[in-house]
Amino acid sequence: MLCRRGARLMWAVLALGVTQILGYGALYYAFPILVPHVAATFEQPETVLYVVFSVGLLLGGFTAPVLGRAMDRFGAPRVMVWGSAAVALALIGVALAPVFWLWAGAVLLIEAISVAVLYDAAFAALVRLRGPGARRDITRLTLIAGFASTLFWPLTTALVDLWGWRGAYAAFAVLHGGIALPLHLWLARVPPEVEDATAPKPRAPEFPPLPPALRQPAFIAVAASFALSGALIAGFGVHMVPILTAVGLGTQAVAVGMLVGPAQVSIRLIDALFWRGLHPVSVALVSGLALPVAVLGLLAGLPVLVAGAGFAMLFGVGQGLASIVRGSVPLALFGSVGYGARLGNLALLRTLASAGAPAGMAALIAVLGVQGALWAALWLGLVAVLPLIWLRLVMARAGVLAPVL
């Protein structure tokens, strides 16, 4: 029975991995490929479409706390079921929209409810199934979901060539309704480990919980660090290729930027295989420090190809770990009770900080130049890790965490 239970949980991770690939692929990575075609159809500037998308992301930040509380109350898999159905219907609305404003309304709806089907919901579903010992499953899930861009960039291009952008959105609706929805329905029927009669006792937390007196300041520290790092990731995510071009890589910038993906997958694999005993706060420190170190490489006067490749790989390390620690750090510090609501509150703060980051980075480049913008990003990255350094020192002093990584 225990072996059967373990196999069922393994299939649950794989199922969530598939739905995350579909979710991030269709709702995020496909968008920039579809934008030129949609803009041409509705005779709108591409910038306007990106504004709609950004507003949708901001709406998703505001709905995240509400959806997080719903996950705690009803179970994340159930929320993911109706989320998949709603996303599939909204994608059909996008595909059939006869005018721009109906298209924009459907896109806003998709992004507003996307929290119900993406990482935060998937992490909450794993915590429901595994309890406090879900950290490894979170890492495994992000390792699978890391292939979303690799799969959906060429898939979206092929769908547009075959059926146009409307056909691509219709295909995404079929994928969500025909694959993601049934998988989430199945997950909703998988009993939590703590309710399984074959399990002798609930899975214990992997790390000592925080004392009650530390919980509020710890949450503030985590929220501040994740929000600032998220803003840095969002800014560079949009402007990476132009910045690499400006520092001297020229036409090689795109090829160098492609190193981000392999670095993301590699660091997640390292975390899954070798960092099982490392506290998630320490992993968050590695993630946070990777970003300013990446920027420092561009400012250090190294050969441009070495500096650019180092920047792309370190940025991939920081971004790859950031997806893991957004789920594992709250679980380790605060436990599984109220986990969904806590993720929702963190998502709101992270989204508020990240929403204006691409525009802010563009403004810095325009006013200070690329070098000045890089110096500003370096200081922002260093400030972002200060709350985690403080938290780690406090935890070590309280005996919750060893004084070394």
Side-chain angles (χ1 to χ4, degrees), residues 24-282:
Y24 279 101
L27 307 186
Y28 284 88
Y29 294 116
F31 191 80
I33 297 174
L34 296 169
V35 158
H37 306 281
V38 178
T41 298
F42 294 126
E43 298 181 346
Q44 294 287 334
E46 293 183 16
T47 304
V48 173
L49 274 66
Y50 280 108
V51 169
V52 171
F53 187 71
S54 297
V55 173
L57 294 179
L58 195 59
L59 287 176
F62 284 108
T63 60
V66 177
L67 292 171
R69 290 192 292 272
M71 293 173 205
D72 289 333
R73 181 176 180 182
F74 303 109
R78 292 182 180 179
V79 174
M80 297 183 88
V81 167
W82 73 258
S84 296
V87 165
L89 291 174
L91 285 167
I92 292 174
V94 172
L96 298 178
V99 294
F100 172 72
W101 293 111
L102 288 177
W103 176 91
V107 169
L108 291 176
L109 176 62
I110 287 173
E111 300 309 325
I113 61 178
S114 63
V115 176
V117 296
L118 297 178
Y119 267 152
D120 286 351
F123 293 159
L126 289 176
V127 170
R128 170 187 173 272
L129 293 173
R130 284 283 199 181
R135 180 199 171 180
R136 295 181 188 177
D137 302 293
I138 289 173
T139 300
R140 291 166 182 158
L141 172 62
T142 60
L143 187 60
I144 298 170
F147 291 96
S149 60
T150 304
L151 294 173
F152 264 78
W153 280 334
L155 174 62
T156 304
T157 301
L159 289 173
V160 171
D161 290 341
L162 283 173
W163 301 322
W165 69 266
R166 294 184 186 277
Y169 272 119
F172 296 157
V174 171
L175 290 174
H176 275 269
I179 298 178
L181 178 58
L183 288 175
H184 291 153
L185 282 168
W186 173 77
L187 284 164
R189 292 194 291 268
V190 177
E193 186 173 86
V194 295
E195 296 177 4
D196 194 337
T198 64
K201 60 180 179 179
R203 185 179 289 265
E206 294 182 273
F207 301 99
L210 283 179
L214 283 180
R215 293 197 169 197
Q216 184 174 358
F219 182 85
I220 294 172
V222 169
S225 180
F226 284 11
L228 292 175
S229 294
L232 198 59
I233 289 172
F236 276 117
V238 172
H239 295 283
M240 177 177 294
V241 171
I243 287 174
L244 290 178
T245 301
V247 298
L249 282 171
T251 57
Q252 295 177 304
V254 173
V256 170
M258 291 176 66
L259 294 172
V260 171
Q264 280 185 331
V265 174
S266 298
I267 196 64
R268 289 171 180 173
L269 188 60
I270 289 172
D271 183 74
L273 296 177
F274 305 112
W275 289 358
R276 295 178 180 179
L278 199 61
H279 195 285
V281 170
S282 297

Side-chain angles (χ1 to χ4, degrees), residues 348-362:
L348 170 59
L349 297 172
R350 188 177 62 249
T351 302
L352 289 176
S354 301
M361 179 71 77

